[in-house]
Amino acid sequence: MLHTNLKHIETVGEFKELLDSGAKAAIVCGRMGPMCIPVYGIMEALRDKYPDVRFFDMEFDSPVGMATIRSLPETRGFNGLPFTVYLRDGKVVAATSSIQTKQQVKEILDTRLADGSAAVAG
Amino acid sequence: MDRHYDVIVIGAGAAGLTAGIYLARARMRTLIVDHGTVGGQMILTYQVANYPGVENASGAEIVATMRRQAESFGARVLAHSEVQRIDLAGDVKTVEVEDEGTFTATAVILATGGVPRMLGLPSEAAFKGRGISFCATCDGDFFEGKDIVVIGGGNSALEEAVSLTKYATSVTVVHEFDHFQAQPWAVDEARANPKIRFLMEQDVREFVGGESLEAVVVAHKRTGEITRIPAEGAFLFIGYVPNTAWLKDHVALNGRGEIVTDESLRTDVAGVFAAGDARAKRYRQITTAVADGTIAALAAVEHVASRAKGAGEKPAGKEPAASPITSSEASPAAPGKARDHSRLLRLPRARASRASVS
Ligand SMILES: Cc1cc2nc3c(=O)[nH]c(=O)nc-3n(C[C@H](O)[C@H](O)[C@H](O)COP(=O)(O)OP(=O)(O)OC[C@H]3O[C@@H](n4cnc5c(N)ncnc54)[C@H](O)[C@@H]3O)c2cc1C
């Protein structure tokens, strides 16, 4: 159970629906641990500043975590919690592993999820 | 939102939150600003076993309680809010915060703590989260059955090396000196573990790999002999550096970049106090940060009261001889004049050295 103020993605169906909708989204997949809590906090703080982006979390050890974010080609080679993925136009446009700063998250939101930016995975 | 506060606290770790509790409880209008998550290093601590009165709690639980206490007394907490500009020189201090605007205060407490020391290698950033980690408890299970390296020689490094042997096939501890800084019990425990081997007097040269880390390249400090250690994980525990680089033109720092204070935790600028890991002191623990937060808050309350009465209290270094300043060698600056930090650079090492025991 993640104790955050973010919306939780709890089923594979919810993840697929979000991906298929083409919406801009950030999903933090982690545990309630020291490297993850700051990233949830950053997303909560940025939520109001990016009204066109939907912010979620997902439990790392849950079936949905295993079946979705942990199995994506974009997170292969990741071994630092949390895994954070950014979606847009039905694709994963960015993914990061381990703790991030607000500045690093903003940079992705301002480039990969900005209107007019190309949807390129990386 | 209020624009003027009695005291603005920069940093919401153990020191800043404690200062907030004491200030707000003393009916000071108090703003606490943090550019990151509330809690600072406490958030990074899974289990705190040495905070008196709390038998066993996670850092996050202690943080939540401290924040609740501070807010319940009336302190306002702004998290994830970048401090963009400060002016600490005059009677009225100015703090400009991203997206929030400019706040003023009669006193400021600097409680900006520390950040993990990095090696500074380009390959270090490239493999962060792809083999390089700073948290054994968070990421240890990714390295089940793998060979890993632990870099560092303090308590954290050796304790985490031992805990990582639960998962890893082998743990190579790489340290820059020929001896450890850790306490003898931590060294003994690591030495007794058959999965741990030690490479001493090594410089880390590079992290190598493809999609994720494959090896750590080190060089012997005296002979220059290069060793390539095959490893899928590297955990860095090489200490913390004070989060004060941005303050160098505002308050006196010593040669290690730590804020210099006197016993009342006054800096060399009137109305500016420092608390916690960011200041020059010997031991860095939650208890010592909390003690600092208390002292700085009480001193700030006194400063605000004396300002209200029209009197000013003196910055560090202006004490009469009868009241010795035991933990500061700050030379106060005349307003508007460049500070002479040369004396601070000669602070006795023992007095200024860090000891972070986790
Ligand atoms: C992994 C780990 C385990 C530990 N275990 C223990 C333990 O078991 N027991 C114990 O007693 N101690 C432990 N410690 C040490 C203890 O956590 C610290 O000594 C203490 O928390 C320091 O508190 P602080 O408030 O001085 O600084 P910090 O906790 O570093 O807080 C400083 C705050 O200031 C903020 N900040 C920094 N710069 C700025 C800026 N420019 N603008 C705005 N905000 C800023 C930061 O975001 C941070 O929140 C541990 C430390 C670590 C890293």
Side-chain angles (χ1 to χ4, degrees):
Chain A
M1 175 73 181
L2 297 175
H3 305 282
T4 74
N5 291 320
L6 297 170
K7 278 186 124 177
H8 314 309
I9 294 182
E10 290 172 328
T11 65
V12 175
E14 282 170 26
F15 178 79
K16 287 228 157 76
E17 205 173 296
L18 180 66
L19 191 67
D20 292 344
S21 74
K24 297 178 188 179
I27 310 169
V28 185
C29 180
R31 298 174 177 146
M32 280 320 286
M35 297 286 130
C36 302
I37 293 170
V39 186
Y40 302 134
I42 291 168
M43 297 303 178
E44 287 171 9
L46 291 177
R47 207 168 24 185
D48 291 346
K49 288 172 190 146
Y50 293 84
D52 58 332
V53 179
R54 299 171 68 188
F55 294 88
F56 298 91
D57 62 30
M58 184 188 283
E59 208 159 338
F60 191 78
D61 300 301
S62 65
V64 59
M66 313 253 192
T68 61
I69 290 181
R70 293 175 67 173
S71 311
L72 290 169
E74 289 83 359
T75 63
R76 204 173 40 227
F78 280 11
N79 42 31
L81 286 178
F83 294 3
T84 305
V85 298
Y86 299 83
L87 310 179
R88 185 195 165 156
D89 300 334
K91 294 190 190 112
V92 176
V93 292
T96 62
S97 175
S98 191
I99 193 167
Q100 305 290 310
T101 64
K102 185 175 156 198
Q103 221 41 50
Q104 288 169 322
V105 172
K106 276 177 77 175
E107 203 177 305
I108 293 173
L109 295 174
D110 291 341
T111 54
R112 306 294 178 88
L113 295 196
D115 289 327
S117 69
V120 185
Chain B
M1 192 189 305
D2 285 342
R3 289 283 140 198
H4 183 79
Y5 287 86
D6 292 315
V7 185
I8 295 177
V9 182
I10 303 180
L17 288 174
T18 304
I21 292 168
Y22 275 81
L23 290 164
R25 208 157 174 247
R27 304 255 163 90
M28 294 279 110
R29 283 164 299 166
T30 305
L31 176 68
I32 308 174
V33 187
D34 198 298
H35 67 181
T37 304
V38 169
Q41 292 172 60
M42 280 192 296
I43 284 287
L44 304 178
T45 314
Y46 246 110
Q47 201 69 37
V48 179
N50 54 5
Y51 191 65
V54 179
E55 225 168 298
N56 249 322
S58 70
E61 284 166 335
I62 299 177
V63 168
T65 309
M66 282 189 182
R67 178 179 186 163
R68 237 185 355 260
Q69 281 177 289
E71 288 181 329
S72 73
F73 292 126
R76 182 181 172 84
V77 180
L78 285 180
H80 298 289
S81 298
E82 208 70 49
V83 173
Q84 295 182 313
R85 226 173 49 83
I86 51 170
D87 184 353
L88 303 178
D91 279 353
V92 177
K93 321 294 181 193
T94 307
V95 178
E96 199 179 303
V97 181
E98 181 191 21
D99 295 335
E100 303 288 346
T102 301
F103 300 97
T104 54
T106 309
V108 166
I109 297 177
L110 303 169
T112 54
V115 282
R117 190 187 295 278
M118 307 286 282
L119 293 166
L121 302 169
S123 52
E124 184 181 30
F127 288 110
K128 179 186 158 200
R130 292 175 177 272
I132 293 184
S133 174
F134 307 91
C135 177
T137 335
C138 309
D139 301 333
D141 59 353
F142 288 113
F143 300 98
E144 187 88 52
K146 297 183 175 159
D147 298 312
I148 62 166
V149 164
V150 165
I151 300 166
N155 274 1
S156 297
L158 296 190
E159 281 182 67
E160 299 295 23
V162 170
S163 88
L164 284 164
T165 59
K166 280 196 300 239
Y167 310 103
T169 309
S170 78
V171 177
T172 305
V173 173
V174 170
H175 187 39
E176 60 179 326
F177 303 120
D178 63 358
H179 61 280
F180 292 108
Q181 281 71 51
Q183 304 279 340
W185 54 263
V187 179
D188 291 345
E189 207 184 323
R191 284 202 193 285
N193 192 308
K195 283 189 173 178
I196 301 179
R197 70 175 185 132
F198 302 91
L199 277 181
M200 307 298 282
E201 291 184 84
Q202 304 287 331
D203 261 339
V204 178
R205 287 288 168 84
E206 214 188 340
F207 297 98
V208 290
E211 203 166 62
S212 54
L213 185 71
E214 288 165 16
V216 180
V217 179
V218 298
H220 194 276
K221 287 186 97 134
R222 280 182 296 111
T223 64
E225 185 189 343
I226 299 279
T227 308
R228 186 182 193 277
I229 314 165
E232 288 181 56
F235 287 78
L236 271 65
F237 303 107
I238 51 176
Y240 272 64
V241 287
N243 221 333
T244 54
W246 65 292
L247 291 168
K248 70 180 185 336
D249 296 327
H250 300 281
V251 292
L253 307 178
N254 68 14
R256 292 165 174 262
E258 300 157 336
I259 304 168
V260 180
T261 60
D262 68 6
E263 263 191 349
S264 300
L265 304 197
R266 296 176 302 182
T267 69
D268 64 333
V269 178
V272 180
F273 305 82
D277 284 14
R279 76 176 189 93
K281 62 178 181 179
R282 181 82 177 90
Y283 296 109
R284 290 179 164 78
Q285 287 284 278
I286 299 172
T287 47
T288 62
V290 161
D292 279 6
T294 308
I295 296 165
L298 296 176
V301 170
E302 226 175 88
H303 173 82
V304 173
S306 70
R307 282 282 166 230
K309 277 196 239 137
E313 123 289 327
K314 299 176 186 76
K318 290 246 167 155
E319 290 285 54
S323 176
I325 297 172
T326 56
S327 59
S328 164
E329 303 210 344
S331 45
K337 284 197 186 151
R339 260 190 299 290
D340 174 12
H341 291 180
S342 57
R343 232 158 51 82
L344 302 173
L345 299 175
R346 295 199 296 273
L347 259 185
R349 260 190 113 68
R351 194 177 290 176
S353 69
R354 297 175 56 80
S356 189
V357 187
S358 56

